[in-house]
Amino acid sequence: MSKYLNVQEVANMLGVTPATIYKLINHPEVSKRIEPVNRLTYRGDGGYRFSADSVELVKEQVIKKDLTIADTAKLLNRSKSFVHGLIREGKLKSYEDTYRGKKTFFIKKEDLEQYNKDVKEKPKSLWETIYDKKTGVFLFQPYFNNGELARVMSIGKKGSARTKITLKTSSSELTLEEALGLGWRPTYLIEEKKQVTAYGFAKFVFPIPRSLDSVIYQVIDELFKAAGPYNMHVKTGEMIEVEIKKTTLVGITETTEPDLVNRLKTFVHSGEIVLVHNGTVIDPGYSSILMYLPHQTKKELLSEAESKGMKLHDYLVEFFNNKFGLN
């Protein structure tokens, strides 16, 4: 069988590793396999052998047609995770195809050029945040003036420029500077709590309040007081989404604040509300597991994660969420 090519020779021709050739031999899609001429007798022949024609049939699968995640990240001078995020958010077009024996995301050069054009033409906007360290202002913070209520509705920053903070009253909108000049003062300030290192966030989803004194804002106030700004994320849109690290609302129980506890239970989207003797615990509800895998299995998982521009942990979380319908 000297006229045929062995695994190493085929790998050299295609610019891949022998491991990739073995994957292609047993590819789940028959049409994408590289078929040896001696599949049934390869052991006795001292290994697989291939015809030149069979190599040509799979050459397209292992030759890059467009940009990979890694190629795109390099051109953008960003991380592969950043590129993967653009794809998930629909900001960068991509498609999935087989490359070197595994599914890989590809980006066409013209689609990357369009993304760069969109970014260049998009006007620079304020960076929205939920807390301004300099002033101590936080999102939805209540202000009072002669018995009237106002709330902070946006906190925006633009580079090193001054922070723009907007308050809403029952009849108008004011900048923070205007509000302070008219006598508005915050009802209370919050503490900058240490960042919680425990994994995960619990999530609350609230409807948009109809009034400034809505109980929904009052619930969010209590979350800010208990967790501090560095342990929370807030996203506003059609709903208000609040993500919060594991936090104890000290002194808030079904006896002292039954309505508040009930609303926490009503609006929690993921995580658990746990009642303890001295308060209420907001628990993201994650548990860790320890797994031992064969080295080769771990290498393959790392390879799959890398092909999607993801860290191994994020890849596994996404896999299990999809597997058990947790998304």
Side-chain angles (χ1 to χ4, degrees):
M1 303 188 73
S2 58
K3 65 178 180 178
Y4 294 107
L5 303 168
N6 62 33
V7 170
Q8 186 62 60
E9 289 170 334
V10 174
N12 292 341
M13 284 182 63
L14 298 178
V16 299
T17 64
T20 297
I21 302 302
Y22 286 115
K23 286 183 179 179
L24 289 171
I25 291 171
N26 298 296
H27 198 285
E29 295 182 47
V30 176
S31 62
K32 295 183 177 181
R33 288 179 185 172
I34 180 170
E35 189 62 40
V37 298
N38 62 337
R39 182 178 288 274
L40 299 179
T41 62
Y42 76 96
R43 294 184 186 277
D45 297 333
Y48 289 111
R49 298 292 185 269
F50 308 86
S51 68
D53 290 341
S54 67
V55 176
E56 287 296 322
L57 288 173
V58 300
K59 188 175 285 188
E60 287 190 3
Q61 295 183 53
V62 294
I63 295 176
K64 290 192 294 184
K65 309 177 189 69
D66 293 298
L67 301 170
T68 63
I69 293 284
D71 296 332
T72 305
K74 187 174 182 180
L75 290 171
L76 290 175
N77 196 27
R78 300 297 295 264
S79 69
K80 289 183 285 188
S81 296
F82 174 80
V83 176
H84 186 70
L86 294 179
I87 292 172
R88 282 189 302 177
E89 294 167 11
K91 296 178 180 178
L92 180 62
K93 292 182 180 179
S94 69
Y95 66 93
E96 232 180 341
D97 202 355
T98 300
Y99 173 57
R100 295 187 174 182
K102 61 187 178 184
K103 287 287 188 179
T104 303
F105 282 111
F106 286 99
I107 296 94
K108 293 182 180 294
K109 289 182 180 179
E110 54 266 34
D111 289 331
L112 179 59
E113 290 171 359
Q114 184 61 50
Y115 166 77
N116 284 327
K117 182 180 178 182
D118 292 343
V119 170
K120 187 175 181 180
E121 293 179 353
K122 184 178 180 181
K124 293 183 179 179
S125 59
L126 291 175
W127 168 50
E128 296 294 331
T129 183
I130 65 171
Y131 178 67
D132 178 49
K133 184 179 179 68
K134 184 176 180 181
T135 59
V137 173
F138 61 93
L139 192 62
F140 306 136
Q141 183 179 19
Y143 276 64
F144 270 92
N145 185 15
N146 294 324
E148 187 180 353
L149 173 66
R151 284 191 181 272
V152 173
M153 301 309 292
S154 67
I155 305 172
K157 296 184 178 182
K158 191 173 184 179
S160 59
R162 201 172 195 179
T163 302
K164 182 179 179 181
I165 299 172
T166 303
L167 283 76
K168 182 178 181 181
T169 71
S170 59
S171 58
S172 64
E173 288 189 357
L174 303 168
T175 65
L176 178 64
E177 292 79 7
E178 290 171 337
L180 294 175
L182 293 172
W184 291 89
R185 295 294 180 267
T187 307
Y188 61 87
L189 303 175
I190 56 174
E191 296 180 29
E192 295 181 2
K193 311 270 186 172
K194 291 183 179 179
Q195 286 187 300
V196 176
T197 57
Y199 178 79
F201 288 83
K203 182 177 180 179
F204 294 86
V205 178
F206 303 97
I208 299 297
R210 295 182 179 180
S211 64
L212 297 174
D213 61 353
S214 166
V215 293
I216 290 172
Y217 284 136
Q218 294 170 25
V219 172
I220 298 174
D221 288 345
E222 295 300 328
L223 297 180
F224 266 111
K225 290 178 187 177
Y230 302 134
N231 293 307
M232 292 176 60
H233 300 150
V234 180
K235 180 181 178 182
T236 58
E238 294 182 0
M239 307 286 281
I240 298 177
E241 298 179 9
V242 178
E243 293 181 327
I244 183 170
K245 285 282 192 175
K246 186 173 183 178
T247 301
T248 300
L249 282 67
V250 178
I252 294 178
T253 67
E254 286 188 310
T255 301
T256 62
E257 297 279 358
D259 290 341
L260 177 56
V261 172
N262 184 57
R263 289 188 174 94
L264 289 172
K265 292 179 178 179
T266 299
F267 294 114
V268 67
H269 181 268
S270 64
E272 302 171 356
I273 306 300
V274 183
L275 302 178
V276 294
H277 72 282
N278 65 333
T280 300
V281 177
I282 300 172
D283 190 335
Y286 288 91
S287 297
S288 63
I289 60 172
L290 178 65
M291 293 181 65
Y292 289 93
L293 299 171
H295 294 313
Q296 185 57 38
T297 302
K298 183 177 179 180
K299 287 180 181 178
E300 290 178 4
L301 287 172
L302 285 167
S303 178
E304 289 293 328
E306 183 179 358
S307 72
K308 293 180 177 292
M310 303 174 73
K311 294 180 179 179
L312 179 58
H313 174 270
D314 296 330
Y315 172 77
L316 290 174
V317 169
E318 183 178 274
F319 173 82
F320 284 112
N321 282 345
N322 291 336
K323 177 71 175 178
F324 298 103
L326 299 177
N327 286 332

